[in-house]
């Protein structure tokens, strides 16, 4: 089922150069937009806590990524199958998708506190995940699983930071 859905999406690659360029952009460059947004937020006092929460969530998510990769390996789609890849990729484990983990962790953390910006970033995250399938680097289950891990981690991080802030609130 996973491979079948992958083939349905991936076979669209290479048919429209404008769409391919757009998918390559989402696959490789959107994460830099996220980093830029975080940097801007860090320099605004009103958004500094949101940015720090997003960074914390991203760090925890990347730590989870490391743990998963220590115990689980799933070959990328192009390793065992003849599929179209639009851009070169490493042959490391397909699950989880680090690009997808990172953008969903940041987007979810921002969404929990800033709905409009967070919604835009979640749309960009979804397009990033979809593009990773399009360019031939990941299976749909890799993207869905990575998004799930990031969302859960971001929610947990947000709840933990709120509890921590309440516990250590300075007395007046």
């Amino acid at each position: 089922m996973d491979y079948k859905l992958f083939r349905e999406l991936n076979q669209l690659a290479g048919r429209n150069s404008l769409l391919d360029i757009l998918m390559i952009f989402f696959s490789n460059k959107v994460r830099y937009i996220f980093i830029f947004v975080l940097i801007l937020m860090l320099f605004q006092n009103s958004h500094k806590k949101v940015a720090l929460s997003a960074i914390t969530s991203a760090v925890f998510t990347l730590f989870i990524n490391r743990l998963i990769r220590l115990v689980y390996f799933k070959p990328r789609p192009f390793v065992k199958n003849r599929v179209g890849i639009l851009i070169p990729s490493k042959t490391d484990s397909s699950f989880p998708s680090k690009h997808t983990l990172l953008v969903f962790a940041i987007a979810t953390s921002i969404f929990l506190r800033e709905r409009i910006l967070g919604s835009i970033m979640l749309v960009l995250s979804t397009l990033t995940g979809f593009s990773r399938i399009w360019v031939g680097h990941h299976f749909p289950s890799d993207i869905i699983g990575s998004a799930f891990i990031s969302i859960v981690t971001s929610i947990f991080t947000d709840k933990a930071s709120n509890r921590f802030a309440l516990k250590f609130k300075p007395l007046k």
Side-chain angles (χ1 to χ4, degrees):
M1 177 74 171
D2 199 24
Y3 180 70
K4 187 176 180 179
L5 182 57
F6 169 82
R7 289 293 296 167
E8 290 296 318
L9 296 172
N10 179 254
Q11 73 181 358
L12 299 171
R15 293 186 179 184
N16 181 319
S17 59
L18 183 59
L19 210 47
D20 288 345
I21 289 168
L22 191 61
M23 289 298 149
I24 291 168
F25 172 78
F26 277 109
S27 181
N28 282 343
K29 304 296 184 206
V30 166
R31 61 189 164 155
Y32 298 115
I33 294 171
F34 280 58
I35 293 168
F36 180 72
V37 167
L38 284 177
I39 291 169
L40 285 178
M41 292 176 88
L42 280 171
F43 288 109
Q44 296 176 341
N45 283 336
S46 60
H47 291 100
K48 192 175 282 194
K49 285 183 182 178
V50 178
L52 291 173
S53 177
I55 292 167
T56 303
S57 179
V59 168
F60 278 128
T61 304
L62 291 175
F63 177 72
I64 291 169
N65 174 53
R66 286 286 240 193
L67 292 177
I68 291 171
R69 287 179 181 244
L70 285 174
V71 297
Y72 181 75
F73 180 84
K74 180 181 179 184
R76 291 188 183 253
F78 58 84
V79 171
K80 288 190 173 183
N81 304 293
R82 200 157 177 243
V83 301
I85 57 169
L86 294 179
I87 48 179
S89 175
K90 297 177 185 175
T91 55
D92 58 347
S93 183
S94 183
F95 179 80
S97 164
K98 190 165 39 170
H99 288 77
T100 306
L101 284 169
L102 202 65
V103 293
F104 266 98
I106 294 168
T108 303
S109 293
I110 292 173
F111 177 79
L112 292 171
R113 297 175 187 223
E114 299 287 335
R115 298 289 184 181
I116 295 171
L117 179 59
S119 295
I120 293 167
M121 294 182 86
L122 282 170
V123 168
L124 291 175
S125 298
T126 302
L127 289 170
T128 299
F130 180 79
S131 73
R132 302 297 292 166
I133 301 166
W134 185 280
V135 300
H137 292 190
H138 292 282
F139 290 104
S141 63
D142 302 332
I143 301 307
I144 293 166
S146 298
F148 179 78
I149 290 167
S150 294
I151 291 167
V152 169
T153 303
S154 296
I155 291 169
F156 175 78
T157 303
D158 185 66
K159 298 249 186 251
S161 69
N162 286 342
R163 284 193 181 148
F164 184 78
L166 285 175
K167 196 172 194 175
F168 296 102
K169 195 173 189 176
L171 297 172
K172 290 184 180 180

